[in-house]
């Protein structure tokens, strides 16, 4: 059942519009994947399983950190300390409380935030992988139209 929920969540995060496609940035041996979307686009079953509000006025940000393997291929998920903030077009800043989700070999972080469409939100994500001294920062923007 949990694998079905993970698959549903990940499929729910694959939007039709290219504007909302998952993005990533590399920092040395690490690759940080990020995505933001309205929670009303999640399947009801997935939102319920992860105890999320499924509304047009709520957004979901997902972050995963992968460490490159010396053998190549897909990196291994790693734990990290995250600090996520979001700024709207009115320059209002808010922090996003992130939750770690670990199921099987999958490891990712999710957090909810308030949106008032139409708006363009600017995200700042600071990531410190477990066991590392240096932090990496990813900044991205996401438009919300509904």
């Amino acid at each position: 059942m949990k694998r079905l929920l993970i698959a549903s969540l990940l499929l729910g995060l694959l939007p039709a519009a290219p504007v909302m496609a998952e993005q990533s940035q590399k920092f040395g041996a690490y690759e940080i994947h990020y995505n933001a979307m309205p929670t009303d686009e999640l399947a009801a079953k997935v939102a319920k399983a992860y105890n999320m509000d499924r509304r047009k006025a709520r957004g979901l940000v997902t972050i995963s950190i992968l460490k490159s393997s010396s053998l190549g291929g897909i990196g291994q998920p790693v734990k990290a300390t995250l600090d996520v903030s979001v700024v709207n077009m009115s320059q209002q800043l808010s922090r996003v409380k992130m939750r770690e989700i670990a199921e099987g070999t999958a490891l990712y972080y999710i957090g909810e935030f308030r949106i008032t469409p139409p708006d363009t939100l600017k995200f700042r994500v600071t990531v410190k992988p477990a066991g590392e001294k240096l932090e990496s920062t990813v900044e991205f923007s996401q438009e919300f139209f509904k």
Side-chain angles (χ1 to χ4, degrees), residues 81-96:
T81 303
L82 301 175
D83 181 50
V84 179
S85 61
V86 61
V87 176
N88 65 15
M89 290 186 344
S90 299
Q91 300 305 308
Q92 296 170 316
L93 171 73
S94 60
R95 296 268 183 234
V96 180

Side-chain angles (χ1 to χ4, degrees), residues 7-54:
S8 297
L9 177 63
L10 294 176
L11 288 174
L13 295 178
L14 297 175
V19 163
M20 305 250 317
E22 179 181 345
Q23 301 171 11
S24 65
Q25 288 186 24
K26 286 192 84 129
F27 295 93
Y30 296 95
E31 191 168 348
I32 301 168
H33 292 257
Y34 51 91
N35 190 18
M37 63 184 285
T39 59
D40 70 333
E41 292 181 7
L42 291 172
K45 192 178 194 180
V46 173
K48 183 178 179 182
Y50 290 96
N51 196 28
M52 287 188 253
D53 288 333
R54 194 170 167 258

Side-chain angles (χ1 to χ4, degrees), residues 1 11 15 20 27 32 46 49 54 60 64-66 71 77-78 85 92-93 103 108 122 124-125 132 138 141:
M1 177 68 173
L11 288 174
M20 305 250 317
F27 295 93
I32 301 168
V46 173
R54 194 170 167 258
L60 168 69
S64 63
I65 302 92
L66 302 176
L71 303 174
V78 296
S85 61
Q92 296 170 316
L93 171 73
E103 296 176 339
Y108 50 95
K122 294 180 182 179
R124 181 179 173 89
V125 180
E132 296 290 335
V138 171
S141 296

Side-chain angles (χ1 to χ4, degrees), residues 101-121:
I101 307 292
E103 296 176 339
T105 58
L107 175 65
Y108 50 95
Y109 298 85
I110 62 174
E112 292 180 77
F113 54 91
R114 184 170 182 246
I115 55 177
T116 309
D119 203 350
T120 300
L121 301 181

Side-chain angles (χ1 to χ4, degrees), residues 68-75:
S68 300
S69 167
S70 60
L71 303 174
I74 298 174

